[in-house]
Amino acid sequence: MTWQPHITVATIVEHEGKFLFVEEFKAGLHVFNQPAGHLEPNETLPQAALRETLEETAWEVELTGVVGIYLYTAPSNGVTYQRICFAARPVCHHADLALDSDIVRAVWLTRDELLADPARWRSELVPRCLEDYLKGPLHSLTLLRD
């Protein structure tokens, strides 16, 4: 069997001191995550981040930078993920769009609201990416090459 990491993207969207999260139902729990998902064939990393954010939150966003690149092995299944985390600003909410079927809702939370309940984090990457975004620096989108 060949080991292969899963390439994923995530987006931190900030507006007026709150951050856009998705609430998902995973392993019998309602958990919070950044809008995130897998890179699809023939898609760039920025395209994947914009698509996943729209599909999971109904928010169209503009990417403003790269927060970081993370390697994470999930303790629940041993799968390794490489996450490219972007920063973005909200542009337009499309309230009429249906969210992905595994998303309970999109919700705006403050940092303190997220940190208050670690049992509701999808993984340790959720607060880590947020903290890295807050402490900076953001990296230029030109860091990424097609």
Side-chain angles (χ1 to χ4, degrees):
M1 184 162 99
T2 303
W3 175 83
Q4 185 174 358
H6 294 244
I7 299 173
T8 62
V9 294
T11 308
I12 295 179
V13 183
E14 182 180 15
H15 183 66
E16 297 180 354
K18 291 194 173 189
F19 301 90
L20 184 59
F21 290 96
V22 295
E23 183 177 347
E24 306 170 298
F25 190 68
K26 297 288 180 191
L29 299 171
H30 286 262
V31 294
F32 293 118
N33 195 6
Q34 281 91 15
H38 289 83
L39 179 69
E40 293 185 355
N42 303 311
E43 188 174 52
T44 67
L45 293 165
Q47 288 169 342
L50 294 171
R51 176 187 51 77
E52 286 289 352
T53 303
L54 183 62
E55 289 175 356
E56 293 191 350
T57 69
W59 274 95
E60 185 179 334
V61 299
E62 177 186 358
L63 301 179
T64 58
V66 177
V67 175
I69 300 171
Y70 304 82
L71 198 59
Y72 175 74
T73 301
S76 61
N77 60 14
V79 173
T80 299
Y81 299 89
Q82 182 179 46
R83 174 188 263 207
I84 297 84
C85 186
F86 292 89
R89 66 173 192 83
V91 174
C92 181
H93 185 236
H94 300 276
D96 56 326
L97 282 180
L99 304 182
D100 275 357
S101 60
D102 58 338
I103 303 298
V104 175
R105 66 183 173 133
V107 60
W108 292 92
L109 300 173
T110 65
R111 173 188 175 273
D112 290 343
E113 288 170 331
L114 175 73
L115 296 181
D117 197 356
R120 304 258 335 254
W121 303 339
R122 169 80 185 261
S123 77
E124 66 190 43
L125 285 180
V126 177
R128 184 174 174 203
C129 289
L130 180 59
E131 293 298 321
D132 287 350
Y133 166 80
L134 290 169
K135 73 179 177 184
L138 282 185
H139 305 282
S140 171
L141 292 169
T142 62
L143 173 74
L144 304 172
R145 310 283 185 198
D146 290 343

